[in-house]
């Protein structure tokens, strides 16, 4: 796993082979962030990474200058790995790494974010409800962007806040505002 750009550009982190999470591929991550440059300035933004997995997006957001990144991951080993990666960057002041259930976090969160990224397991039965939950709980700030990574079997084009869909190989992203 590598950081694509920003102050930590090129930094690599080896993901343990025992991990269940599949990190967003470098190809897909680079392309979606290129698209996002037309939507948001990450410098100083408040960001939320839901289902953080390996922490790939969290690290990318830190590298791109977000003033605050909240990373939410339930799995103990994945959470610990994300914390270790952040410690290696020595950038703990700008990130909050929570070991928590995403659905409980969403229901109890009273903060808004300029950028939200969610990458749930593609087989998660609650996956289709996640965009609605983000908007029902007012997590996205005005003019914010929500990126939802999902499998090819899901379509969110009929969602009232849907903006566009991007596909990179087997990785699909739906963007919402």
């Amino acid at each position: 796993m590598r950081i694509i750009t920003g102050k930590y550009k090129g930094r690599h982190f080896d993901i343990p082979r025992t991990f269940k999470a599949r990190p967003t591929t470098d190809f897909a991550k680079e392309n979606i962030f290129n698209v996002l440059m037309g939507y948001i300035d990450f410098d100083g933004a408040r960001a939320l990474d839901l289902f953080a997995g390996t922490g790939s997006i969290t690290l990318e957001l830190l590298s791109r200058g977000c003033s605050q990144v909240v990373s939410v991951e339930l799995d103990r080993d994945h959470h610990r790995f994300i914390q270790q990666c952040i410690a290696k960057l020595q950038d703990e002041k700008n990130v909050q790494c929570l070991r928590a259930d995403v659905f409980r976090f969403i229901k109890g969160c009273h903060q808004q974010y300029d950028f939200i990224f969610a990458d749930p397991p593609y087989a998660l039965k609650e996956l289709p409800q996640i965009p609605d939950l983000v908007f029902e709980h007012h997590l996205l700030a005005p003019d914010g962007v929500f990126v939802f990574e999902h499998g090819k079997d899901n379509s969110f084009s009929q969602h009232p806040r849907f903006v566009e869909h991007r596909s990179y190989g087997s990785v699909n992203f739906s963007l919402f505002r």
Side-chain angles (χ1 to χ4, degrees):
M1 172 176 81
R2 85 180 158 94
I3 297 175
I4 305 297
T5 198
K7 62 184 172 183
Y8 305 120
K9 179 181 179 176
R11 294 285 300 266
H12 284 265
F13 298 90
D14 293 325
I15 301 168
R17 295 188 189 276
T18 58
F19 272 26
K20 298 170 279 208
R22 57 156 170 77
T24 302
T25 65
D26 286 350
F27 174 76
K29 184 169 61 171
E30 185 170 8
N31 280 290
I32 195 62
F33 272 97
N34 285 340
V35 169
L36 290 170
M37 296 310 290
Y39 285 96
I40 186 169
D41 179 5
F42 289 101
D43 193 36
R46 293 159 302 162
L48 174 63
D49 184 8
L50 299 172
F51 303 96
T54 62
S56 174
I57 300 300
T58 294
L59 300 175
E60 192 69 39
L61 292 167
L62 280 173
S63 185
R64 289 171 184 259
C66 288
S67 63
Q68 177 193 24
V69 180
V70 176
S71 176
V72 183
E73 174 56 47
L74 182 60
D75 184 276
R76 181 190 72 229
D77 294 333
H78 295 189
H79 175 259
R80 186 179 309 121
F81 177 75
I82 296 167
Q83 287 182 310
Q84 291 169 351
C85 292
I86 293 165
K88 286 178 185 175
L89 295 178
Q90 299 178 333
D91 199 353
E92 292 94 346
K93 70 182 184 326
N94 293 327
V95 66
Q96 184 179 10
C97 189
L98 303 174
R99 182 171 174 236
D101 175 82
V102 166
F103 296 100
R104 284 190 181 144
F105 174 85
I106 289 172
K107 289 176 184 169
C109 183
H110 301 292
Q111 183 174 349
Q112 289 191 321
Y113 299 91
D114 303 305
F115 179 75
I116 300 173
F117 188 92
D119 180 11
Y122 290 178
L124 185 71
K125 68 178 170 81
E126 299 92 351
L127 184 143
Q129 289 106 36
I130 293 170
D132 288 333
L133 288 172
V134 165
F135 291 110
E136 285 170 15
H137 292 276
H138 309 287
L139 297 184
L140 193 65
D143 297 323
V145 178
F146 169 40
V147 174
F148 190 47
E149 184 175 334
H150 55 85
K152 66 180 180 345
D153 296 332
N154 299 96
S155 174
F156 296 93
S157 61
Q158 298 306 310
H159 193 281
R161 305 285 295 267
F162 176 83
V163 176
E164 70 173 291
H165 173 263
R166 295 289 178 127
S167 178
Y168 305 103
S170 62
V171 181
N172 290 268
F173 297 103
S174 289
L175 281 70
F176 302 85
R177 293 207 88 170

